[in-house]
Amino acid sequence: GGPAVRLESPEGGGGRRGGGAVPPTRRYRLRDGCWVLCALLVCFADGASDLWLAAHYYVRGQRWWFGLTLLFVLLPSLVVQLLSFRWFVYDFAASTKDSAGSTKDSARGPRGCCRLCVWLLQGLIHLLQLGQVWRYLRTLYLGLQSRWQAEHRRRHFYWRMMFESADISMLRLLETFLKSAPQLVLQLSIMVQQNSIEPLQGLSASASLVSLAWMIASYQKVLRDSREDKMPMSYKGAVVQILWHLFTIAARAIAFALFASVFQLYFGIFIVTHWCIMTFWIIQGETDFCMSKWEEIIYNMVVGIIYIFCWFNVKEGRSRYRMCIYYVITLSENAALTVLWFLYYDRKTTSDFDALILVCVVSSSFALGIFFMFIYYCLLHPNGPMFGPHSGGCIFRQRPAPVPGSPTDAVTSPPRSLPRTTGGEREGAPGERDSCVPVFQVRPCAPPAPAARAPRTEGPVIRIDLPRKKYPAWDAHFIDRRLRKTILALEYASPTTPRLQYRTPGAPQEVLEYETTV
């Protein structure tokens, strides 16, 4: 089973070859390494503060809070470690089989001992719940190697670094919303019930909040960096996106904590109902993230958990309309939960002044989050500022002239060499901001001439018998580990970096060429 993969030489094979101009090779920069180190620090702070707080509850004899705090740390961590180790087992077993040639003969001698040591080391790392830490360090190592190696080796290490970045982003996103999100609500609820904030509680809640906001922005950045048909997100945009999610999630979590401190049973009913509605909304949207139907359903259920706390785009289309609907619902829910708490909170433990302060914190935090969201979309969006010298905003939007001959099914690896999304392509993708219908028509001035891209014809092509997934999904070679293994092997054996080409929908003359497999 699996997709057919074909390595085609420049002279061999017929049919249209996708391609593009060869851009300057993207190098691993110092800021990329600093970003990984900051992500590792956030991961450490989140886990360590929760464990420290759990030990604090145990020492003080608060066994109920100790049990819940420890449960929200260990259970999600076990799930993520099992998934990470499963990925390692497949990747290492596949690479060992390919490199050894004969597993039986190579099992003897030094090479077999080395493989056994790797198995034991990885088992110990994941048993100690340090799988994500190892993957962060491996990402940093591969990125530095891509700077220090020779030209061909540098491209190979950069390619592997992008794969590892995708893995750790998906793992950490799953962990934060299974662990940090409920942990944040739990600690805020305890603070409200006790009418006091202990330093460890504040540290744990702050670390969980930063971890949630960081991983949403980091996931989006890595996803955009991996997509050849999208402009990469700048670090300024990533920081502003962190602030956007930081304040909106903070308002959401505080509203949850206030309501849960008075209505525990109804809060549970509300969370389950909201999750079911959001999951059904995502499923009926027919997302295309995973390689099988059941994996897609499980993924949609996890995204339903994310939707309890913040917006997460999962489908190509008019995302700004869906996002507006989501935030209107969120604002209404936050207001209803906060008002109900204000009407029924215990006047003996909380004064009216403190209650008004909490209500103002919820409303101002949500407003600040929406403000940073507008800053991101208006000034720092990767597709260009909404209000700039050539954009004219979303009201006076002019569509740039399409670049002729821009293929949409070719991916060049690494680095980025597919022509970016052009105006003509945006017309067929209504989910982009640039596709909004202009309200006022203005006389268009002469647009700047786009930089022409000469078609790239040299070098081998790796042809994949799959249609390319639409953004914001990962490309198949990032989520299908068999496909990833094959591409890495072909890329390593090729003297020049191959281009990737997915099957073009609606081109029957090319379909027959994909029947040959390697």
Side-chain angles (χ1 to χ4, degrees):
V5 180
R6 177 181 179 186
L7 178 61
E8 185 177 280
S9 65
E11 296 80 8
R16 180 179 58 83
R17 294 191 184 101
V22 183
T25 301
R26 181 181 175 185
R27 296 178 63 87
Y28 191 79
R29 300 165 296 175
L30 178 62
R31 68 187 69 175
D32 299 326
C34 293
W35 181 264
V36 174
L37 290 177
C38 290
L40 184 59
L41 179 62
V42 170
C43 178
F44 262 126
D46 188 18
S49 61
D50 292 341
L51 291 175
W52 192 3
L53 181 60
H56 176 71
Y57 285 143
Y58 181 81
V59 170
R60 293 179 55 178
Q62 297 173 316
R63 303 303 170 85
W64 179 246
W65 299 136
F66 160 75
L68 287 177
T69 302
L70 192 62
L71 177 66
F72 289 145
V73 173
L74 294 183
L75 186 59
S77 182
L78 288 173
V79 172
V80 173
Q81 296 299 324
L82 286 175
L83 180 59
S84 175
F85 189 72
R86 179 176 177 268
W87 287 354
F88 158 75
V89 168
Y90 183 86
D91 293 341
F92 187 70
S95 61
T96 301
K97 184 177 179 180
D98 291 342
S99 61
S102 174
T103 307
K104 182 182 297 184
D105 295 337
S106 62
R108 308 179 185 131
R111 182 172 295 181
C113 294
C114 291
R115 286 200 300 273
L116 179 61
C117 291
V118 171
W119 277 99
L120 293 177
L121 178 62
Q122 286 298 320
L124 180 62
I125 288 174
H126 286 82
L127 187 63
L128 296 176
Q129 310 300 298
L130 297 176
Q132 292 92 311
V133 175
W134 170 75
R135 288 186 180 274
Y136 272 127
L137 294 177
R138 178 173 169 79
T139 301
L140 187 62
Y141 165 77
L142 293 173
L144 293 176
Q145 287 294 320
S146 70
R147 286 181 58 91
W148 298 336
Q149 296 290 333
E151 178 65 24
H152 175 60
R153 297 282 291 173
R154 180 167 66 240
R155 295 193 300 265
H156 180 72
F157 275 103
Y158 190 85
W159 183 270
R160 293 171 60 190
M161 185 272 297
M162 287 302 302
F163 282 148
E164 197 65 50
S165 298
D167 286 346
I168 188 61
S169 296
M170 287 184 271
L171 289 172
R172 281 287 293 149
L173 185 72
L174 175 63
E175 183 185 35
T176 50
F177 279 93
L178 291 180
K179 182 184 76 172
S180 302
Q183 193 74 257
L184 176 61
V185 176
L186 173 64
Q187 302 309 324
L188 289 175
S189 301
I190 296 174
M191 296 178 202
V192 172
Q193 285 190 357
Q194 294 179 345
N195 198 25
S196 63
I197 301 177
E198 299 181 5
L200 280 180
Q201 290 175 335
L203 179 63
S204 175
S206 301
S208 297
L209 180 60
V210 172
S211 183
L212 287 166
W214 183 285
M215 281 317 302
I216 285 287
S218 179
Y219 178 90
Q220 295 294 338
K221 176 171 174 53
V222 175
L223 177 58
R224 275 193 165 270
D225 289 345
S226 72
R227 295 283 308 199
E228 303 294 330
D229 55 342
K230 292 294 177 181
M231 293 294 292
M233 183 188 298
S234 67
Y235 283 104
K236 292 180 182 179
V239 170
V240 172
Q241 196 172 115
I242 288 175
L243 295 175
W244 159 21
H245 294 297
L246 183 77
F247 287 107
T248 53
I249 294 175
R252 188 77 166 159
I254 294 173
F256 284 170
L258 294 176
F259 186 77
S261 65
V262 179
F263 306 100
Q264 290 86 0
L265 177 61
Y266 291 109
F267 174 71
I269 296 175
F270 165 78
I271 289 294
V272 172
T273 304
H274 183 91
W275 174 77
C276 291
I277 293 174
M278 291 294 106
T279 303
F280 177 76
W281 186 29
I282 297 166
I283 292 177
Q284 65 86 28
E286 298 180 353
T287 58
D288 184 26
F289 269 73
C290 302
M291 304 303 295
S292 68
K293 177 182 177 182
W294 292 109
E295 289 178 345
E296 193 73 28
I297 293 176
I298 295 174
Y299 176 84
N300 291 335
M301 294 170 67
V302 174
V303 174
I305 298 175
I306 299 177
Y307 268 42
I308 295 175
F309 295 90
C310 67
W311 164 255
F312 189 75
N313 189 25
V314 293
K315 192 175 188 301
E316 187 182 36
R318 294 191 177 275
S319 59
R320 63 184 182 276
Y321 295 151
R322 298 196 303 270
M323 185 169 59
C324 288
I325 294 173
Y326 175 83
Y327 276 117
V328 167
I329 295 174
T330 300
L331 178 60
S332 303
E333 290 177 346
N334 289 352
L337 296 177
T338 307
V339 168
L340 287 173
W341 170 82
F342 188 78
L343 293 176
Y344 294 99
Y345 75 92
D346 189 0
R347 264 69 179 177
K348 297 179 181 179
T349 59
T350 306
S351 64
D352 292 341
F353 178 76
D354 292 340
L356 287 174
I357 290 295
L358 289 174
V359 172
C360 292
V361 167
V362 173
S363 57
S364 60
S365 179
F366 188 81
L368 273 175
I370 298 300
F371 169 76
F372 282 111
M373 181 188 72
F374 277 108
I375 292 294
Y376 172 75
Y377 279 104
C378 294
L379 300 177
L380 297 170
H381 195 275
N383 287 349
M386 186 179 293
F387 301 101
H390 300 293
S391 62
C394 198
I395 296 179
F396 301 96
R397 177 70 65 187
Q398 300 177 20
R399 300 185 186 277
V403 180
S406 298
T408 59
D409 62 328
V411 184
T412 303
S413 69
R416 324 174 57 82
S417 65
L418 187 74
R420 306 301 176 195
T421 307
T422 62
E425 291 166 348
R426 289 193 187 102
E427 288 182 345
E432 299 294 335
R433 293 183 302 104
D434 299 309
S435 64
C436 64
V437 180
V439 178
F440 301 101
Q441 295 290 343
V442 296
R443 179 175 297 176
C445 58
R453 292 182 180 271
R456 178 186 174 188
T457 57
E458 76 282 358
V461 179
I462 299 176
R463 304 178 67 121
I464 302 170
D465 185 20
L466 286 173
R468 192 175 190 187
K469 292 179 177 291
K470 296 181 179 180
Y471 182 82
W474 296 90
D475 279 322
H477 58 278
F478 276 89
I479 58 177
D480 190 329
R481 309 194 81 81
R482 298 169 301 171
L483 189 58
R484 178 191 300 191
K485 178 201 70 172
T486 305
I487 290 174
L488 280 175
L490 295 176
E491 195 273 339
Y492 186 79
S494 174
T496 58
T497 301
R499 291 169 290 140
L500 298 185
Q501 184 177 6
Y502 284 88
R503 185 177 66 205
T504 304
Q509 67 275 12
E510 290 192 359
V511 173
L512 295 177
E513 298 180 7
Y514 290 95
E515 295 180 355
T516 302
T517 62
V518 175

